[in-house]
Amino acid sequence: DDARKMFTDVEPGAGAGVSTEMLWRLGYRNIVAVDWSDAAWTRFVDPKDVPASVSFDALDDQRYLEKWQAGHSGESATDGRFDAIVFNYAVNDGKAKFFAKNLLRQNGRLLAPVNRQTDYWLKQEYRVLNQQGEVIWRAGEVGAWDVVFQPDMTEESCRGVRWCPETDRRSTSSELGFTRPKSLSYQDKTQ
């Protein structure tokens, strides 16, 4: 229906666009796909197949947040906010709440694999948060499988786990083109 065409989504960790396509199939028509590297997007997404209302930003979530804040300062409470935020990598609870409180529209939802313990990157649970940052659904297992995702590379605590810049043996973070942004504190901050 027409109302669904208005649904907007921001998707940190978009990678090769698989989840972007799934969101499109679910009815989201204004999608901002975000990933710190454009390598997978460039390799697997054909630009002529991407609708005009789907964009890609080669930024990590912190740099995207700074860009979003700069472009939406002084606007009304709902302008520029999203109906959905879908993280495709593990985040700490504070970051999930921060994004929910600051970037979701009223009745919006955030889905993220959230660390069960702050800075513990080896076990997460799926959580759905509302605009107030309240958890309205969670699942620690999906079927018989634990929820374990790639860690948030922007966190200083991302160490000793595959995918973390200092430990990824496939290449160094400079070879990957990633530099960790200045650390932000997400503990119960709202605009």
Side-chain angles (χ1 to χ4, degrees):
D1 68 14
D2 287 339
R4 247 182 143 178
K5 291 180 182 174
M6 300 299 290
F7 282 2
T8 59
D9 171 78
V10 65
E11 179 195 15
V18 174
S19 53
T20 308
E21 182 176 352
M22 183 58 65
L23 289 163
W24 181 268
R25 290 179 183 202
L26 288 171
Y28 290 87
R29 293 298 181 253
N30 298 300
I31 301 171
V32 180
V34 178
D35 201 292
W36 69 269
S37 170
D38 65 355
W41 187 272
T42 301
R43 181 174 178 193
F44 296 106
V45 177
D46 187 341
K48 66 179 181 281
D49 294 334
V50 179
S53 61
V54 174
S55 63
F56 178 83
D57 277 328
L59 300 167
D60 59 64
D61 59 25
Q62 290 183 21
R63 289 180 179 109
Y64 176 77
L65 179 62
E66 292 167 3
K67 176 183 174 183
W68 181 87
Q69 288 172 325
H72 295 91
S73 61
E75 292 188 24
S76 73
T78 58
D79 288 342
R81 294 192 184 205
F82 299 95
D83 297 297
I85 299 170
V86 179
F87 276 92
N88 290 305
Y89 52 86
V91 295
N92 280 320
D93 181 63
K95 182 177 276 191
K97 287 180 179 178
F98 183 90
F99 271 74
K101 290 178 180 181
N102 289 281
L103 273 71
L104 284 177
R105 288 184 175 151
Q106 184 175 359
N107 299 318
R109 298 292 183 257
L110 178 143
L111 171 66
V114 178
N115 291 328
R116 289 194 174 188
Q117 298 173 355
T118 299
D119 295 334
Y120 182 69
W121 300 103
L122 301 176
K123 190 160 188 165
Q124 294 83 38
E125 64 183 8
Y126 273 118
R127 292 185 191 170
V128 174
L129 284 71
N130 63 18
Q131 185 194 17
Q132 290 77 37
E134 300 163 336
V135 177
I136 58 174
W137 179 85
R138 68 178 62 203
E141 291 87 25
V142 179
W145 301 97
D146 284 335
V147 177
V148 180
F149 271 74
Q150 172 181 336
D152 180 352
M153 292 174 45
T154 64
E155 291 287 346
E156 286 292 325
S157 62
C158 183
R159 298 187 187 285
V161 180
R162 185 175 178 211
W163 296 296
C164 294
E166 290 82 4
T167 7
D168 191 331
R169 292 193 174 110
R170 294 171 294 163
S171 58
T172 65
S173 57
S174 60
E175 289 170 341
L176 292 169
F178 178 79
T179 54
R180 187 173 272 142
K182 180 182 171 203
S183 186
L184 298 177
S185 172
Y186 292 102
Q187 298 303 319
D188 249 353
K189 264 168 106 174
T190 55
Q191 281 185 337

